[in-house]
Amino acid sequence: MEKVVILRYAEIHLKGKNRGYFERVFSTNLERALKGLRHELRRTSGRYLVAAFDEEKSDEIMRRVSRVFGVHSYSAGLLVSNDIESIFEAAKLVAPESGSFKVQTHRGDKHYPLTSMEISAEIGGRLLGENPALRVDVHTPKHTVYIDIREGGKALVFGSFEDGLHGMPVSTAGKGLLLISGGIDSPVAGYMMAKRGLTVEALHFHSYPYTNEGAKEKVVSLAKILSEYTLVHRITAVSVTHIQEEIHKKCAAELNVTLLRRFMFRIAEKIAGREGAKCLVTGESLGQVASQTLEGLTSSNAVVSLPVLRPLIGFDKEDIIAVAKKIGTYEISVLPYEDCCTVFLPDFPAIRPSLSYIEEEEKKLDVDALVEEALSTREVIQL
Amino acid sequence: MIYFDNAATTRPDPEALARAGEFTTELYFNPSAKYGGGFSVSKKLEKMREALLGTVGGKDRYDLIFTSCGSESDNQAIFCGGKRGNVVTTQGEHAAVFSACTELKNRGVEPRFAPVKGDGSADIEALLSLVDDKTSLVSVIHVNNETGAVNDVAAIAKAVKKKNPRALFMSDGVQAYGKLNFTLPPEIDLYSVSAHKIGGLKGTGALFKRKGLALNPYIYGGGQEGGARSGTENTFGVAVFAYAAEKKFRTLKEDAIRLCTLRENLFSLLQGEIFTRISPKEGSPYILTVSAAGMRGEVLQRMLWDRGLCVGTGSACSSKNRFSRVMTACGYPQSILDGVLRLSFSPETTDGEIVRAADILNETTKEYIRNTF
């Protein structure tokens, strides 16, 4: 008898001839997620088993696989030989101490001499005989003992299904660059694109000394949580201080944020090019703030040729918050550090600026030189 | 680096640290232990207590309770001294007093806050008008930690006692102790101090308590400090405190005179059109608070740090608690509140540092203006 964590995968089964590729990436991702923990990853048909781990680490293994995209569900269970005696020994360990229960059997190996119903009845009967505090209820049982007869003379016995994150294995959809701030939205946007298989690199803009070290630390903390899902353990930081100063001095105050965002997109595209990212990802949601109006988005899009993915575009704030809470970034996002100092915030930002007006104002700046200068401040932080 | 944030904390005095070292190597015994080692530590502890008592009060007139910090001393004085009726204090208090007094509301005691003047000193008339026969405690900070304004706590205490002899008078002396030439008058019942503002260590505070005054403990336990404050004595911290204070008090008067000159030199070297003075001339020689109007103190603080000058500030970039409560109470407009910088000195401060600091301050603010206006 061996303790294992059973993983079932999600959308991969939809893939036809590419299935092998998806499965290879999925198992690589599992290995990356389990890095540093003693374990053995086994692939069986339609399942992965994590085995040979230290028993006291089983919670940590469960926690880590719960964050891997592509996992449909997972269970802590026991791997045994498929003879009834062995299955019964395992079932005794999985069964509750008291209360109602049923046994549910899945027979992956159709050559097994007993049918699913017969196995369930046999094991259920024996459990009942062993422990008088148990009671069978096949309709609304409090507990279920699951038996899965596998190929190769093996069976899996477990007590519950935990829901996985679903989605696609990260890196099956290529690489993107996430613009991450200290707010609630951008980590959620990164999470959602990673869920569709994107490798999410992260880029943070700061304006030290107008923002403080705490703001950067906050982003690093967020990126660390995000990295448990994206499996990317670094973040790039770039200073836009001088750009903000120049915009503030030379351009219409109402366009401060609009112009800054155009710079951010330009810088992001350059960095994406260096890192092989084929798209930008932002946490923008239509109409959420002045810079996220259709005109605002158009103005940012106009300076880049890479596609800009905005997975939250149709989300309400409360929907975004719900995801942020689920993935564990919310608590950090709401800590009181400002990602943009109020020094540069106009009293009334332009809500629907025309592209021609924006471009006219931007002519007052040496755009290329400012972008190059900002790129020279680039630092890569390992998480 | 030029360190001008001594009101936040001072560099621990290396001599005091060295002298106190024996309490971490040989004399590590618990002073309550009844064997020889414990006894000798206890004897030394009492000697240090006496020495510290001698600095402002004398052991015949005051007891000294060692605590973990100035805030604890303030809390014990307020919660154990202000138990009924009302407690009168000022808008210019340190948070350790202000928040504790605010909390009194939840404990059935009414807190009353007297306004302050533009320099942060207490409006004495207004304060006295709040004192009545139900007042159980009056608390007035000795040196305002944000502006350096000095309250004549001896005179205020006298006036308070005249109006209500039963009211206790306490003062937070954290920024005054070891810096101002001062002896506790009989009207001051409680006086809180902290070691790390005069070369001692963080985690060491004390409360002077008038002899004969019965004050309940705030921390209960093994009955140390004559039952007034339980918890095994921080012998090393107390020793560093005592030795640092011994040294500090030896040169107290000269330091004050010299730093007063340095403070005035510094202000005269600052660009008049940029810096507005907030600290009064007759305030603590250790603090010069100015405001670079229209600028953000916190941003300046980081720019100055990058240029080798460490200063304090009265504002924050965050929208929550952007302005200092005390400075707001002083009645300044928003542009002044934003740009507050607190420059605070120690006996280690030199003439050369003053000149260089003024240069850095002038240059940095000019750069700030160039970049943002």
Side-chain angles (χ1 to χ4, degrees):
Chain A
M1 193 171 348
E2 188 180 13
K3 280 209 164 194
V4 291
V5 174
I6 307 150
L7 306 171
R8 304 163 197 89
Y9 43 73
E11 239 177 85
I12 304 173
H13 67 270
L14 296 177
K15 302 291 164 194
K17 291 184 178 145
N18 285 334
R19 183 168 166 159
Y21 165 69
F22 280 90
E23 288 186 342
R24 271 198 306 283
V25 174
F26 183 54
S27 50
T28 308
N29 289 352
L30 284 171
E31 290 290 4
R32 283 160 77 193
L34 294 173
K35 206 169 152 185
L37 293 176
R38 193 173 77 85
H39 72 280
E40 198 177 286
L41 186 65
R42 295 182 206 147
R43 203 164 119 202
T44 68
S45 72
R47 307 268 185 285
Y48 280 89
L49 295 183
V50 185
F53 49 81
D54 298 329
E55 225 175 293
E56 72 274 11
K57 296 284 187 203
S58 61
D59 285 350
E60 176 65 9
I61 287 183
M62 295 281 275
R63 197 184 72 84
R64 292 203 196 174
V65 301
S66 75
R67 283 162 166 69
V68 175
F69 288 113
V71 174
H72 181 270
S73 67
Y74 58 100
S75 310
L78 296 164
L79 178 68
V80 293
S81 303
N82 67 5
D83 57 280
I84 283 292
E85 279 312 318
S86 304
I87 292 173
F88 174 56
E89 286 307 310
K92 275 200 288 191
L93 294 173
V94 170
E97 284 176 10
S98 62
S100 64
F101 84 108
K102 74 167 178 178
V103 178
Q104 188 173 317
T105 305
H106 170 84
R107 208 173 49 136
D109 177 4
K110 301 295 181 200
H111 303 296
Y112 196 74
L114 299 177
T115 66
S116 298
M117 296 295 279
E118 286 166 349
I119 301 168
S120 296
E122 174 67 24
I123 299 296
R126 287 199 191 193
L127 286 171
L128 212 51
E130 186 95 353
N131 182 355
L134 287 175
R135 164 170 75 74
V136 171
D137 179 347
V138 291
H139 299 295
T140 51
K142 218 170 151 197
H143 306 276
T144 303
V145 175
Y146 296 96
I147 298 168
D148 188 4
I149 306 290
R150 305 307 306 173
E151 66 281 1
K154 294 285 182 189
L156 292 165
V157 183
F158 52 95
S160 69
F161 283 88
E162 308 295 335
D163 201 20
L165 283 183
H166 304 252
M168 302 295 297
V170 292
S171 105
T172 53
K175 191 189 275 188
L177 181 63
L178 169 72
L179 278 66
I180 189 171
S181 70
I184 296 167
D185 304 346
S186 48
V188 173
Y191 167 86
M192 292 190 59
M193 291 325 300
K195 182 170 185 174
R196 295 311 304 160
L198 199 69
T199 293
V200 177
E201 296 274 351
L203 169 63
H204 173 63
F205 295 104
H206 66 88
S207 43
Y208 184 87
Y210 299 101
T211 55
N212 62 24
E213 302 282 1
K216 209 194 245 170
E217 273 310 300
K218 180 182 171 186
V219 174
V220 167
S221 307
L222 287 171
K224 264 190 195 152
I225 295 177
L226 194 58
S227 73
E228 294 193 0
Y229 303 96
T230 63
L231 305 173
V232 175
H233 298 282
R234 61 176 187 176
I235 176 174
T236 303
V238 166
S239 164
V240 287
T241 304
H242 193 215
I243 293 172
Q244 281 199 286
E245 289 169 349
E246 286 288 299
I247 295 173
H248 182 75
K249 267 188 287 181
K250 295 178 179 162
C251 306
E254 59 172 355
L255 289 183
N256 261 347
V257 180
T258 310
L259 290 170
L260 177 62
R261 289 199 74 80
R262 280 162 67 90
F263 275 97
M264 289 176 169
F265 274 56
R266 288 187 182 99
I267 295 164
E269 189 169 60
K270 296 249 180 193
I271 288 177
R274 291 180 192 182
E275 292 184 356
K278 298 287 189 277
C279 65
L280 304 182
V281 179
T282 73
E284 288 159 310
S285 162
L286 189 64
Q288 193 185 86
V289 292
S291 64
Q292 296 177 18
T293 56
L294 204 49
E295 287 79 0
L297 303 180
T298 306
S299 126
S300 308
N301 276 9
V303 296
V304 291
S305 53
L306 283 182
V308 182
L309 304 184
R310 298 179 170 96
L312 307 183
I313 198 71
F315 272 50
D316 288 345
K317 194 74 185 185
E318 56 193 282
D319 302 333
I320 302 172
I321 288 173
V323 183
K325 283 184 174 163
K326 187 180 101 179
I327 66 178
T329 52
Y330 181 76
E331 307 257 292
I332 297 172
S333 289
V334 294
L335 291 175
Y337 280 112
E338 312 238 322
D339 48 9
C340 180
C341 183
T342 38
V343 170
F344 297 116
L345 286 185
D347 294 335
F348 296 102
I351 294 171
R352 301 185 182 285
S354 73
L355 198 54
S356 56
Y357 173 41
I358 294 166
E359 285 169 350
E360 205 50 47
E361 281 297 303
E362 202 173 61
K363 277 187 190 148
K364 298 172 182 169
L365 305 167
D366 187 345
V367 172
D368 293 341
L370 285 170
V371 168
E372 280 312 311
E373 190 201 322
L375 283 169
S376 72
T377 66
R378 173 181 182 220
E379 55 177 319
V380 176
I381 303 161
Q382 299 297 333
L383 301 174
Chain B
M1 183 191 64
I2 302 173
Y3 184 68
F4 278 4
D5 200 17
N6 288 285
T9 192
T10 51
R11 188 168 76 97
D13 185 282
E15 275 175 52
L17 282 176
R19 276 180 73 188
E22 61 176 351
F23 288 97
T24 66
T25 50
E26 291 116 49
L27 297 176
Y28 52 82
F29 309 105
N30 190 321
S32 300
K34 300 297 174 223
Y35 42 78
F39 184 69
S40 65
V41 173
S42 161
K43 225 167 70 182
K44 286 201 175 224
L45 188 69
E46 290 320 307
K47 257 213 164 109
M48 296 185 291
R49 193 190 307 274
E50 246 174 63
L52 283 166
L53 273 166
T55 55
V56 289
K59 64 169 177 153
D60 301 327
R61 300 174 45 229
Y62 282 89
D63 294 325
L64 187 66
I65 305 164
F66 288 120
T67 65
S68 69
C69 57
S71 295
E72 188 196 323
S73 304
D74 286 337
N75 274 249
Q76 180 167 8
I78 289 161
F79 289 126
C80 306
K83 292 203 154 218
R84 62 199 149 68
N86 63 69
V87 164
V88 177
T89 185
T90 78
Q91 301 278 6
E93 297 301 302
H94 185 273
V97 169
F98 190 86
S99 304
C101 287
T102 309
E103 165 61 18
L104 283 176
K105 225 179 333 186
N106 300 328
R107 305 186 182 192
V109 177
E110 178 203 353
R112 295 177 175 179
F113 298 97
V116 289
K117 300 184 201 154
D119 64 2
S121 63
D123 181 336
I124 300 172
E125 236 173 85
L127 178 95
L128 288 173
S129 73
L130 294 176
V131 176
D132 57 27
D133 56 358
K134 295 244 165 33
T135 303
S136 57
L137 177 86
V138 177
S139 178
V140 178
I141 194 166
H142 195 175
V143 169
N144 183 300
N145 57 301
E146 296 194 35
T147 68
V150 179
N151 287 310
D152 185 352
V153 284
I156 300 173
K158 198 171 257 178
V160 165
K161 295 279 176 173
K162 204 172 150 196
K163 208 164 168 196
N164 178 353
R166 284 171 55 231
L168 294 180
F169 189 91
M170 79 151 284
S171 178
D172 176 322
V174 169
Q175 296 292 351
Y177 182 73
K179 297 178 179 179
L180 300 191
N181 187 21
F182 173 76
T183 307
L184 286 168
E187 290 83 8
I188 293 185
D189 301 292
L190 296 157
Y191 192 72
S192 56
V193 301
S194 174
H196 74 106
K197 310 289 191 190
I198 55 162
L201 292 174
K202 296 152 199 75
T204 322
L207 180 62
F208 287 87
K209 178 182 76 68
R210 182 174 52 74
K211 257 205 184 333
L213 169 68
L215 187 74
N216 280 343
Y218 187 63
I219 293 179
Y220 289 84
Q224 291 87 346
E225 299 295 296
R229 200 279 188 187
S230 288
T232 302
E233 296 85 343
N234 174 7
T235 48
F236 178 65
V238 166
V240 179
F241 185 17
Y243 299 145
E246 180 188 324
K247 196 170 150 189
K248 190 74 192 63
F249 273 88
R250 219 181 291 143
T251 58
L252 187 147
K253 285 181 199 162
E254 301 96 276
D255 288 341
I257 294 166
R258 192 176 68 87
L259 288 176
C260 202
T261 313
L262 291 190
R263 183 191 64 179
E264 292 313 306
N265 284 348
L266 177 56
F267 185 68
S268 69
L269 290 170
L270 294 179
Q271 292 279 330
E273 61 273 28
I274 295 175
F275 293 98
T276 307
R277 181 169 182 152
I278 289 172
S279 294
K281 280 205 162 159
E282 60 284 2
S284 163
Y286 285 77
I287 295 177
L288 174 65
T289 302
V290 293
S291 173
M295 299 179 212
R296 285 293 159 78
E298 193 192 317
V299 175
L300 279 174
Q301 187 185 41
R302 288 193 283 272
M303 293 173 76
L304 293 166
W305 165 261
D306 290 341
R307 288 157 183 74
L309 175 62
C310 193
V311 305
T313 172
S315 81
C317 245
S318 79
S319 40
K320 285 172 207 153
N321 307 320
R322 175 161 149 200
F323 304 117
S324 137
R325 165 182 52 80
V326 172
M327 300 299 293
T328 308
C330 293
Y332 289 103
Q334 193 170 316
S335 63
I336 293 278
L337 293 176
D338 262 333
V340 170
L341 295 177
R342 181 184 67 181
L343 314 163
S344 51
F345 319 111
S346 84
E348 294 180 350
T349 304
T350 65
D351 295 317
E353 284 183 328
I354 293 286
V355 175
R356 267 193 297 140
D359 279 345
I360 297 173
L361 282 159
N362 289 331
E363 285 310 311
T364 308
T365 44
K366 267 188 233 156
E367 190 184 325
Y368 185 105
I369 293 168
R370 264 202 311 279
N371 291 340
T372 61
F373 286 174

